[in-house]
Amino acid sequence: MSGGAMARLDDDKRSEPSHPGALAIKSLNKRYRMDGRILQVLQDIDLNILPGEFVSIVGRSGCGKSTLLRLIVGLEADYDGDILLDDQPIRSTSLDRGIVFQDHSLLPWMTVEQNIGFALLTLDLPESEKKRRVAEHIDLVNLSGFAKAYPRELSGGMAQRAAIARALVNEPKILLLDEPLGALDALTRIHLQRELQRIRTQNRSTMIMVTHDVEEAVYLGDRVVVMDANPGRIGRVVTVPLPHPRDRGSRAFQHIRDEILADLTGAHDTD
Amino acid sequence: MVDQVTGGSVFSAQAKTRRSLESFFSWLAASGPKTAVAANAPRTLKRTGLTILLSPVLLLAGWFALSHSGLFPTEVVVPPEEVAATFWDMVRSGDLQRNLSSSLGRLAIGYGIGAGIGLLLGSFMGLSRNAEAYLHPTFQLIRQLPTIALIPGFIMVLGIGETVKIVLVAKATALPVALAAFEGVKGIPRVYLDVADIYKIRPLTRFFRVILPATVPPVLSGMRIALSRSWMVLVGTELLIADSGIGQMMEWGRQVFRIDLVLVGVVITGVIGFTLDKSFRLLERRLVRWRYR
Ligand SMILES: Nc1ncnc2c1ncn2[C@@H]1O[C@H](COP(=O)(O)OP(=O)(O)OP(=O)(O)O)[C@@H](O)[C@H]1O
Ligand SMILES: [Mg+2]
């Protein structure tokens, strides 16, 4: 009963004209101090992300992708520039913003079920509704049967799937994904790429995904941000104008993919 | 005549001890993690309860051979069977139980107090930067002092009653426990705290669901090490000042030149220490099951 009412309430919120989830990043700079030396990790990042948009980020290792996500999710308040979510500056974490870390980061003393439920602890929902959501998300990532398993007993891919379920279960306005599917086998990967696409259409939440798989970036992204390294900055933003579901074999798809790949591997390097 | 009787009972007692030891070890092995041991065991050496007994048995055989070699008088290197006979006599007269219970009683009280203080101080230092700044250097300093070196000073202040032994045991316990708690709290992987931040976990929940479980494993190891250490400190203290206890029993044996008594004490001390450590490990396995499953 109350669950249904809850869902209706949510729908009402979602259909408001100023649908939340718009992210504006303005001249963002991030430096780390390491034994006296200053390391410029991110330089002059400017990026506007529309509500409900899916943005993929690619770039070589160490170019600051994870750092950028940590800043957006609010884990680090020490930066220069602005990060605004629906015009509000981000200064700390919020249940509106979820993240899947590069390492699964499950709490080892909790079962899969408890780990996913952890994301709902502070949410004001009836216990039964929390239970239902946890079970639903365990199914979503194909972990039924492992609800009572501890992270130690899971493979890397299974743990990552549990982490994805945890990030999705409280339906954040904006979801940040740091190489979420990197540890998965090809089949599960394709399955979860479809699931992400479905969830995204269904929840209309904004998503930013870091990936090393250019095909995945193009398959899911409305735009693909290509980052350069040392210091980390935005090199190029490629719009993917193809309708969903996308056909990986189509010429248009492959053309975009190859162009980004060439960019990354430096085949186009002119400077 | 007397010798014969004692000899017989010694051997049957040995056999009994061996049997009960064997079952103890197989029980231990069965309650441990079932996975890794079997998979990693070398093929040539089948690890059973008997394998663990191999080195003690060899030691015993060496001791036996040495004592009967005639190189030393048997009053100095007392043969193991005589030690076993003495052990049996002491069990029958109740001397051993009396001494053991007074030692273990002191250990329990001293360890309890020490662990409590250690846990409180350690977590306090770990959670508060101020407490860390004020207390940590002193802690590191005191840690470098062997507890035994404090005995003369403590005797001057506290006399030679029960209090001084309990205080020494408590001190020997509190320091390693405090440092384990401190380091456990400090060493919580940052990602766990990040996860708690992301889901806006409230302070109390954060403490019970994240900080506590993350610190329990290192703290338990610290408490286990402290237990063995404080047992040794207690026996050492009893050697110097006591009217009862395993240490006192050994000291008395030395004074009346009953090396067999001293050796019974040595063996008992070792066995108790070993048993305390093993039992604590089992407790750790129970409490931190997520780590071992
Ligand atoms: N806490 C920190 N302190 C100091 N330097 C850091 C810290 N975190 C990250 N860095 C540095 O910032 C740079 C970017 O790191 P980041 O993890 O964001 O890279 P990345 O693009 O996610 O790489 P990868 O693809 O390998 O995950 C690296 O040079 C790293 O050494
Ligand atoms: Mg990264």
Side-chain angles (χ1 to χ4, degrees), chain A residues 65-67 102 178-179 210:
Chain A
K65 305 180 296 292
S66 298
T67 306
Q102 202 165 344
D178 198 348
E179 296 178 38
V210 168

Side-chain angles (χ1 to χ4, degrees), chain A residues 205-266:
Chain A
S205 50
T206 310
M207 293 197 185
I208 305 177
M209 180 180 70
V210 168
T211 176
H212 281 296
D213 179 348
V214 175
E215 183 169 303
E216 181 174 283
V218 176
Y219 179 76
L220 289 167
D222 296 317
R223 284 185 292 163
V224 179
V225 172
V226 184
M227 281 181 70
D228 290 338
N230 300 318
R233 58 198 188 280
I234 293 179
R236 200 175 154 197
V237 180
V238 180
T239 305
V240 185
L242 308 173
H244 287 286
R246 290 175 179 161
D247 174 8
R248 296 166 205 259
S250 77
R251 193 166 294 183
F253 187 98
Q254 292 187 348
H255 177 75
I256 297 172
R257 186 197 62 193
D258 292 346
E259 197 157 306
I260 294 171
L261 262 177
D263 236 30
L264 276 173
T265 51

